[in-house]
Amino acid sequence: MSGVAEIQQRRQLPGLWHALAARGAVALVWFYEGGWCKVWPGRADQRAIVGDVPILPGWAVTTALVVVGLTEVAIGIWVLTGRRVRAAAVVQTLLVAGFNAGGLLFSPDQIDEPGRLLTQNLAFVALIWMVTWMSPRRTAR
């Protein structure tokens, strides 16, 4: 390897580590929200929010919660793969917006601090898009 190529490779390594760390952080949020909060052991507030959806019969709440949770875990895995990063970011953004809108519309009494919810999720969506912009595969959309 020539000296110039070696220097260029060394300059790319910190960017690669930053991208991997950001991707890992996004995936961990999906794993926590899906796996821990909805599937096992599950949180009562999440169950109550899903239970307040008017078109969902009471007997289907557990199934819906598990399906949403496993979908969130699958999104975390998708993020870790680094594939189709723009599509992943679009899907994640739509899901976060949809979950926020659904919670605030159907179950506002279950959300203690709506401003905190929206602020945290806005930061999360910004991180999601930062992962997309930092991805070495961003050109292979």
Side-chain angles (χ1 to χ4, degrees), residues 92-138:
Q92 292 173 89
T93 301
L94 292 173
L95 284 176
V96 169
F99 290 156
N100 282 308
L104 292 170
L105 181 66
F106 298 130
S107 196
D109 296 338
Q110 297 295 331
I111 300 170
D112 293 331
E113 297 180 48
R116 179 175 50 110
L117 170 81
L118 295 173
T119 302
Q120 288 175 336
N121 283 318
L122 181 61
F124 181 51
V125 168
L127 180 59
I128 288 167
W129 283 97
M130 189 176 86
V131 166
T132 301
W133 298 322
M134 293 172 66
S135 173
R137 294 184 180 180
R138 68 183 175 274

Side-chain angles (χ1 to χ4, degrees), residues 78 81-90 92 132 135 137 140-141:
W78 182 11
T81 68
R83 296 194 180 271
R84 302 197 38 94
V85 293
R86 181 179 281 177
V90 169
Q92 292 173 89
T132 301
S135 173
R137 294 184 180 180
R141 295 177 182 110

Side-chain angles (χ1 to χ4, degrees), residues 30-79:
W30 287 113
F31 294 155
Y32 171 76
E33 290 294 331
W36 182 260
C37 295
K38 293 179 184 73
V39 177
W40 186 82
R43 286 184 17 191
D45 63 329
Q46 298 283 320
R47 175 175 286 288
I49 290 168
V50 172
D52 286 345
V53 175
I55 60 170
L56 189 64
W59 56 264
V61 171
T62 299
T63 302
L65 205 55
V66 169
V67 167
V68 169
L70 293 176
T71 300
E72 289 177 334
V73 169
I75 289 170
I77 293 168
W78 182 11
V79 170

